[in-house]
Amino acid sequence: DSGVTQTPKHLITATGQRVTLRCSPRSGDLSVYWYQQSLDQGLQFLIQYYNGEERAKGNILERFSAQQFPDLHSELNLSSLELGDSALYFCASSVAGTSRNEQFFGPGTRLTVL
Amino acid sequence: AQSVAQPEDQVNVAEGNPLTVKCTYSVSGNPYLFWYVQYPNRGLQFLLKYITGDNLVKGSYGFEAEFNKSQTSFHLKKPSALVSDSALYFCAVRAPSLNFGKGTSLLVTP
């Protein structure tokens, strides 16, 4: 158990809908990262927050947004969902936002868009 | 751009034999390299990292990795494979997020 929690574990929804994925980082970790894992794209970095502020952006679509709250939990919002958004979404956390720190991953949320 | 490549989609090895999972990197500056393992329907687990110092890095579950600057490689190794090592292995470089390779499926047969 990495100490990173994600809810829900599974999410099934329809095209055009909006969903929110939630992540709680390990105790003491200030940085949260979101990743998308799919068969065709592999593991892709979406966005990073550090102590409530956006730190880095990766291949995140404009339909997707995220935020980190004062208690350091984070939410990833996916809207106008398309079939291709079906994937495993991981949250990870690290102590700081620097390159030296390893990231600890949650169990993921499996999103299925029908 | 900082990137890693895993040239093998799958590696098969018999239990008790040594295993190697290959990774090469392309970075500007000093590379910060990581190995993660993913078991079915689970998140990624950190195995080890290279930041600086000794070229041989020891990690979890008996795994180690050798950093080779001249060959720009960071291969994952284990002297004696276990069936329970069967999983998906990812090499990654910090940039500052993690840029992952496409993964190598390791199958250890009894």
Side-chain angles (χ1 to χ4, degrees), chain B residues 16-106:
Chain B
N17 284 357
L19 69 87
T20 298
V21 183
K22 296 180 180 177
C23 172
T24 58
Y25 65 88
S26 174
V27 304
S28 54
N30 295 321
Y32 295 154
L33 298 164
F34 298 78
W35 275 102
Y36 283 81
V37 59
Q38 184 178 26
Y39 297 99
N41 300 313
R42 301 279 296 275
L44 280 76
Q45 294 180 32
F46 168 74
L47 282 178
L48 50 81
K49 67 179 178 182
Y50 173 82
I51 303 299
T52 187
D54 289 340
N55 290 339
L56 186 62
V57 180
K58 293 192 182 296
S60 306
Y61 312 121
F63 283 94
E64 57 189 29
E66 187 172 7
F67 174 73
N68 188 315
K69 190 171 182 178
S70 62
Q71 296 185 8
T72 62
S73 67
F74 188 56
H75 299 334
L76 182 70
K77 300 182 179 186
K78 188 173 183 181
S80 178
L82 300 172
V83 172
S84 58
D85 292 331
S86 299
L88 192 55
Y89 290 81
F90 290 94
C91 180
V93 61
R94 280 298 292 267
S97 64
L98 282 170
N99 288 349
F100 287 92
K102 61 180 173 62
T104 298
S105 179
L106 173 66

Side-chain angles (χ1 to χ4, degrees), chain A residues 6-114:
Chain A
Q6 289 187 249
T7 57
K9 284 189 176 179
H10 302 277
L11 203 46
I12 300 175
T13 187
T15 54
Q17 295 299 304
R18 173 189 168 93
V19 297
T20 298
L21 313 183
R22 182 188 169 103
C23 167
S24 292
R26 291 189 322 158
S27 176
D29 284 359
L30 297 178
S31 202
V32 169
Y33 309 78
W34 286 97
Y35 293 87
Q36 179 194 60
Q37 184 179 34
S38 61
L39 280 175
D40 52 345
Q41 300 286 339
L43 259 169
Q44 289 203 87
F45 166 67
L46 296 178
I47 196 164
Q48 176 199 359
Y49 279 83
Y50 176 75
N51 204 20
E53 301 285 329
E54 183 183 303
R55 175 65 70 91
K57 248 182 178 178
N59 299 320
I60 188 167
L61 300 172
E62 285 192 11
R63 301 183 284 110
F64 295 1
S65 64
Q67 54 184 326
Q68 186 179 27
F69 295 87
D71 67 352
L72 301 178
H73 90 272
S74 178
E75 292 181 357
L76 178 67
N77 300 297
L78 316 177
S79 61
S80 302
L81 285 168
E82 302 174 0
L83 295 177
D85 297 328
S86 296
L88 199 49
Y89 290 84
F90 288 110
C91 166
S93 72
S94 65
V95 170
T98 69
S99 298
R100 290 171 171 257
N101 304 119
E102 57 268 34
Q103 296 175 22
F104 294 89
F105 283 74
T109 293
R110 183 170 293 281
L111 174 65
T112 302
V113 182
L114 302 175

